[in-house]
Amino acid sequence: MNNQQILQSASGLLESVRVIRNWRAMALLAVTLFASALTLTALMATQIGLLAFLGVVLGTLMLFYGLNAVGILLMADTRQVRLSPLEALMQSLLSSHRVIGIAILAVLGLLALLAVVAIALFICKIPFIGPLLYVFVLPASALALGVAIFALFAIYLPLAACAVWNGSKTLQAMGTLFALTRQRLVQIVCLELLLAILVGIAAIIISNILLPGYLTTIGLSGAILGGNAAAFMHHGGSGLGFAPANPYIITGGVGTALLFATAFVTPWLITIQGLCHIYLRELANLDQTRAGQDIASASKTLGGLAERAEKLAETAAAKAREASLNAKEKIASARNPAAAAPDAAEAPENAPTATNPDADSAAATAAAPPPAQETPEQQQAARPDKNTPEA
């Protein structure tokens, strides 16, 4: 970053202070805070668990989409594009979920890097060569994790919403943030530090303007309207020390809340406007060739991670089905072991048998046809004659 670019960026950040004159953004932010707080307070006052939980959810959603609508409005103002608060709110309802998607993908990427480092450390447990590998694994892992965590909190989380407010899709925003991390990390961090200093100075100036005027007004109120100004200060600006029925108690509290709410939201508006300026400025200073390669590399990496996760999910589902079938088979065999076990009593039809001569002769005799019966004449002829003298 040369001197001219530094001066241009610093002057652009100084112009972020002009947001205090953007009454549309300030009104939208005030309405968002008021509606969110009112919804949360009203539903929690019912002291019903379900309604209280619903109040927390609705209040959080209203705050989330409202803040994104303010960001879209300020991004359009930074790009010198005219946009109404209603149009900004509609765009917020259609695109704010991308911020959550980018945050989830960034955290998953960090977890993947942690897994790689853990695998490398497990490899270092190998005897003999493990200690030698640890000499290189330790500094490489520390550097990679340090850069990843620093980039997560310095670029991804602060500028992810800016990328979405600028109209980028989820993967496109991830690729752009990855390119900014590789090419403009130091410059972006320096500009964010300048922005933090500017916001701190603006907060000090606003406090020095409001507090003296507020204290002076409280003193005059106690002298003119009656009551005790000290009592009013003791009750946190919720009344003028009058009786509870006095209307100044309520109106004074409402006025004090509006005053300090305005003082509170102004630094936030300056911060959002400054982040929008930083994002657009550094996006314009990117090397488009390298940026395109970085975006393609990031998209390819995210696509590979998604495909790998899908394959792992399919493998896990197949193993679950196999385990379920095995469990069912074991349950069936436990309920009916006779049906599950093979019938060892039944021999196959064509199985060979051992040879036994006696059994074979008995079988042959049983299989032979019975002898024919002799007639009485044949039996008389075959019987020897008793009257015949023996020789």
Side-chain angles (χ1 to χ4, degrees), residues 23-110:
W23 63 269
R24 295 181 301 132
M26 190 171 294
L28 181 58
L29 181 57
V31 170
T32 298
L33 295 177
F34 178 75
S36 176
L38 181 62
T39 303
L40 178 62
T41 305
L43 292 180
M44 291 192 69
T46 59
Q47 297 183 354
I48 300 176
L50 182 59
L51 291 180
F53 176 75
L54 183 62
V56 173
V57 173
L58 290 179
T60 303
L61 289 177
M62 293 174 67
L63 184 63
F64 174 73
Y65 285 103
L67 290 177
N68 279 278
V70 174
I72 292 173
L73 194 63
L74 293 178
M75 177 63 76
D77 183 70
T78 306
R79 296 167 54 192
Q80 298 181 355
V81 177
R82 185 70 177 180
L83 194 67
S84 66
L86 183 59
E87 292 174 343
L89 184 59
M90 294 302 297
Q91 290 186 17
S92 174
L93 293 175
L94 295 176
S95 62
S96 295
H97 59 276
R98 299 173 189 169
V99 179
I100 301 176
I102 294 173
I104 292 175
L105 290 177
V107 173
L108 289 178
L110 181 60

Side-chain angles (χ1 to χ4, degrees), residues 246-290:
N246 196 303
Y248 291 108
I249 295 176
I250 299 176
T251 55
V254 172
T256 301
L258 290 176
L259 179 64
F260 283 97
T262 304
F264 175 75
V265 301
T266 301
W268 279 101
L269 291 176
I270 297 175
T271 302
I272 296 174
Q273 184 81 64
L275 289 176
C276 292
H277 172 78
I278 292 173
Y279 177 80
L280 293 177
R281 175 68 65 179
E282 296 306 316
L283 186 64
N285 292 329
L286 276 180
D287 185 353
Q288 298 301 324
T289 302
R290 291 180 57 190

Side-chain angles (χ1 to χ4, degrees), residues 145-164:
L145 289 175
V147 171
I149 295 173
F150 183 78
L152 178 65
F153 290 98
I155 292 183
Y156 278 85
L157 295 183
L159 299 182
C162 296
V164 174

Side-chain angles (χ1 to χ4, degrees), residues 120-128 130-131:
L121 292 176
F122 273 111
I123 294 176
C124 292
K125 295 178 67 175
I126 299 176
F128 303 109

